[in-house]
Amino acid sequence: MTRIFADPDAFVADALRGFARAHRDEVALVDGGVVRAVPLDPGKVAVLIGGGSGHYPAFAGYVGPGLAAGAVCGNIFTSPSTAQAMRVAHAADAGGGILFTYGRYAGDILHLGEAERRLRAEGIDARTVLITDDVASAPPEGLDERRGIAGIVCVFHVAGAAAERGDPIDEVERLATLANSRTRSHGVAFGGCTLPGADHPLFEVPEGQMSIGLGIHGEPGVRDVPLQSAPDLAVTLAAPLLAERPADAGRAAVILNGLGSVKYEELYVLFGYVVDHLEAQGIEVVDPECGEFVTSLDMAGISLTIMWLDDELEELWKAPASSPAFRKGHFAARSSGAQRTRGESATTSAARAAVVEATPASRAAATVARRLLRAARDTVAAHVEELGELDAVAGDGDHGIGMLRGLTAAVEASAGADEATGVRELLQAAGDAWSEVAGGTSGALWGAALAQLGASLGSPDEFTASDVADAVSAARARIAELGGADLGDKTMLDAVAPYAETLTDRVRAGADLRSALTDAAAAARAAAEATAPMTPRRGRARPLAERSIGHPDPGATSFALIADAVAAAAASEDPEEAE
Ligand code: ADP
Ligand code: MG
């Protein structure tokens, strides 16, 4: 339950503002996250971390010497946008290259991966090491498919300590990869967290039970079992970690992590038994940590992380670190540098779009697009709770909120564009605003789809129904390319593909655009419903695939709702606006 907030929509910005004030000698705010108050020495590698908020001390709390140079901070449980990552990267860059390292989640990969590509295009040596420590999220054969949980802290410190001692980017990348390959985590949940402004938790664990294999975005565990006493729980938590112990591993960094509302005393009770158990297996525990490292708002749960040390990793794990939330050892005194100020916010895409000349047909189409975007926003607003609940079944519960946030930004960007703006520029501005504000997987995909829709429509002297059908097909291809999903993976693509195909078929058969849109929407609705029995193979729902069976995919469902709203709004079209 979140009791303290001003405007729930400004929760993350307000929290970061207070955080930066509380630690003003250590961190400085950037639009999109925080960087160190004292800039890196020239030539050092900037380790950048990030992800959604709601996980404090991750991510802002780990900015400092021996850890990250900056943290990109998205909304609650929502990946930050590419634009945010670019601003943090530019503020943190010291000329030695940039290493992004973060837990493996689809939305973060889309947005931060795009930032990495753009930085490279600017000539900055940017790399990425994904963290995949959660044993419950995929079997050992699928190591690279696992998501990241509290083991991220091990990788952050190894990478940060290597960067601090002046290692070049190749080395920092190699060591972060090594640390990830030897780090494993396993957790259990006792109760779900409640998103700010919501009145009930994302999930509940039955009385007397615990849920094994939790995620850190409010995803419940993979299976429920009866509660265990502390010594048994220590064994349960450690078992899958010990099962993947490398043959050469005798020493281990150990982190017992509380997810948000387990008391420190309880953590310490368990920690004692964990160490007993590991030592009984002949493992030497090196510089262990017990406390809150990666939380999930007020979730009740714990996780155990082991990083199997070799000589290289042990040296780095024992190295000093100094950040608001994680300190060990001592650094030589440093001179304090100038405080940075918040970066100037980028000009909005809508403002840039206004200068482009558009044909009358393109301007008329822009007017229609504005109205369809409003219709889409209104229908998502009317279903926001339902979409959130669908996403909470096996994902993180943010789909309704994220879609509404993105669409609201898209509507604002389109309304803010000049009268002379054509449909191409308008949709590009709307798509950029959507992905910037919404974050998340769906934000990245919708943002790219709208921009593609605009680019394909272009600015001709006249639009035909088949131009529209072709543009929708191009947007569908963009979603498939960016997200990498196949049909049947239980994603929005399962509704988008039949929508695009029906639209094309009906238009080819000679139907007018309005009736073709109506038929396509009906196909999307049927296809979205048909995702219910499928097993998710992409996105956050995959680790909890079983739970999702019987419930339609949230992204496919919201797409079908929008398709219906667009068909209805197009049918009630004002003749003045006709294309
Ligand atoms: P997040 O998963 O980042 O929390 P949302 O909850 O807003 O983002 O969106 C979840 C939806 O995104 C899923 O229901 C699915 O339709 C869609 N999705 C997830 N991953 C992919 C992907 N790789 N390709 C296409 N769609 C995807
Ligand atoms: Mg989600």
Side-chain angles (χ1 to χ4, degrees):
M1 186 74 195
T2 308
R3 299 177 189 83
I4 304 180
F5 50 86
D7 170 3
D9 286 338
F11 184 84
V12 168
D14 281 352
L16 271 182
R17 192 174 66 99
F19 168 77
R21 288 191 165 182
H23 302 284
R24 71 176 91 202
D25 51 343
E26 293 186 281
V27 299
L29 275 181
V30 174
D31 185 4
V34 295
V35 293
R36 290 194 207 167
V38 180
L40 294 188
D41 295 337
K44 281 196 173 167
V45 174
V47 173
L48 294 188
I49 61 177
S53 295
H55 304 300
Y56 193 85
F59 293 88
Y62 296 123
V63 171
L67 283 153
V72 197
C73 306
N75 262 305
I76 298 286
F77 298 167
T78 306
S79 72
S81 71
T82 301
Q84 285 181 293
M86 294 297 286
R87 291 192 290 266
V88 172
H90 284 138
D93 182 27
I98 287 178
L99 181 79
F100 285 103
T101 185
Y102 50 91
R104 187 182 165 286
Y105 293 96
D108 295 326
I109 295 171
L110 289 177
H111 291 279
L112 301 184
E114 176 61 19
E116 180 196 346
R117 276 188 292 280
R118 290 190 194 173
L119 289 166
R120 294 176 82 95
E122 291 176 4
I124 296 174
D125 190 354
R127 322 256 179 112
T128 297
V129 173
L130 297 177
I131 308 170
T132 55
D133 56 307
D134 178 18
V135 297
S137 55
E141 312 83 78
L143 266 189
D144 298 344
E145 301 271 290
R146 287 177 174 174
R147 64 189 172 191
I149 54 172
I152 58 177
V153 177
C154 297
V155 181
F156 294 168
H157 183 38
V158 166
E164 192 63 33
R165 71 182 179 196
D167 285 9
I169 189 151
D170 284 340
E171 268 300 278
V172 180
E173 181 185 27
R174 181 184 69 81
L175 289 161
T177 306
L178 176 68
N180 179 55
S181 73
R182 293 173 72 95
T183 300
R184 300 287 187 279
S185 304
H186 185 216
V188 303
F190 309 114
C193 58
T194 305
L195 294 169
D199 55 10
H200 59 275
L202 282 177
F203 67 90
E204 281 169 51
V205 179
E207 190 65 34
Q209 302 266 303
M210 61 184 193
S211 188
I212 295 195
L214 57 78
I216 56 165
H217 301 95
E219 303 97 326
V222 180
R223 68 196 154 91
D224 293 347
V225 301
L227 279 175
Q228 298 175 346
S229 73
D232 291 343
L233 183 54
V235 173
T236 300
L237 279 172
L241 311 182
L242 293 170
E244 294 184 23
R245 177 181 178 179
D248 65 350
R251 291 160 290 159
V254 173
I255 298 178
L256 184 66
N257 174 52
L259 267 290
S261 63
V262 174
K263 290 296 302 170
Y264 270 66
E265 284 89 342
E266 288 177 272
L267 292 174
Y268 284 125
V269 166
L270 180 60
F271 185 73
Y273 290 102
V274 166
V275 173
D276 285 349
H277 181 54
L278 296 178
E279 287 179 350
Q281 314 290 311
I283 296 158
E284 182 193 342
V285 174
V286 178
D287 278 13
E289 299 283 349
C290 178
E292 290 186 349
F293 294 89
V294 180
T295 61
S296 186
L297 290 173
D298 59 349
M299 176 162 171
I302 47 167
S303 65
L304 177 65
T305 295
I306 290 184
M307 176 166 68
W308 299 105
L309 298 173
D310 61 8
D311 292 343
E312 280 188 306
L313 292 178
E314 180 164 353
E315 182 182 336
L316 291 162
W317 177 245
K318 286 177 159 172
S322 175
S323 69
F326 189 88
R327 291 179 207 285
K328 63 199 282 184
H330 293 283
F331 285 103
R334 297 167 62 93
S335 59
S336 85
Q339 294 273 315
R340 288 168 202 259
T341 50
R342 183 191 269 264
E344 199 186 315
S345 65
T347 359
T348 66
S349 314
R352 282 200 302 277
V355 296
V356 182
E357 242 343 271
T359 61
S362 174
R363 274 181 289 178
T367 306
V368 177
R370 280 193 186 88
R371 199 157 46 79
L372 299 186
L373 282 169
R374 284 198 301 274
R377 179 203 52 198
D378 293 347
T379 195
V380 166
H383 293 89
V384 71
E385 300 254 313
E386 173 193 328
L387 292 171
E389 262 148 38
L390 265 186
D391 190 31
V393 171
D396 54 2
D398 67 348
H399 188 62
I401 299 175
M403 287 291 290
L404 183 56
R405 214 186 277 129
L407 267 162
T408 304
V411 167
E412 277 167 13
S414 70
D418 193 81
E419 288 288 291
T421 303
V423 72
R424 174 178 53 201
E425 291 73 28
L426 183 109
L427 288 176
Q428 223 128 41
D432 284 356
W434 187 325
S435 97
E436 156 103 54
V437 172
T441 316
S442 61
L445 296 171
W446 269 101
L450 282 196
Q452 181 65 55
L453 203 57
S456 301
L457 286 171
S459 190
D461 290 330
E462 131 180 69
F463 288 100
T464 63
S466 71
D467 291 337
V468 175
D470 289 349
V472 168
S473 291
R476 167 227 166 140
R478 183 80 187 107
I479 290 171
E481 176 197 42
L482 194 61
D486 291 321
L487 288 178
D489 281 354
K490 193 165 189 169
T491 70
M492 64 188 282
L493 193 66
D494 290 318
V496 175
Y499 180 81
E501 280 155 25
T502 306
L503 192 62
T504 301
D505 290 349
R506 299 289 295 119
V507 166
R508 276 201 193 131
D512 65 276
L513 185 56
R514 290 177 202 175
S515 73
L517 285 171
T518 305
D519 293 346
R525 202 177 328 121
E529 278 159 21
T531 60
M534 294 179 180
T535 307
R537 287 199 291 265
R538 288 270 159 191
R540 288 202 178 143
R542 193 188 44 76
L544 296 168
E546 298 290 302
R547 294 201 188 217
S548 155
I549 295 171
H551 303 273
D553 175 63
T557 305
S558 61
F559 178 80
L561 287 168
I562 290 172
D564 267 334
V566 162
S572 68
E573 190 172 42
D574 175 353
E576 303 261 306
E577 287 179 1
E579 288 159 42

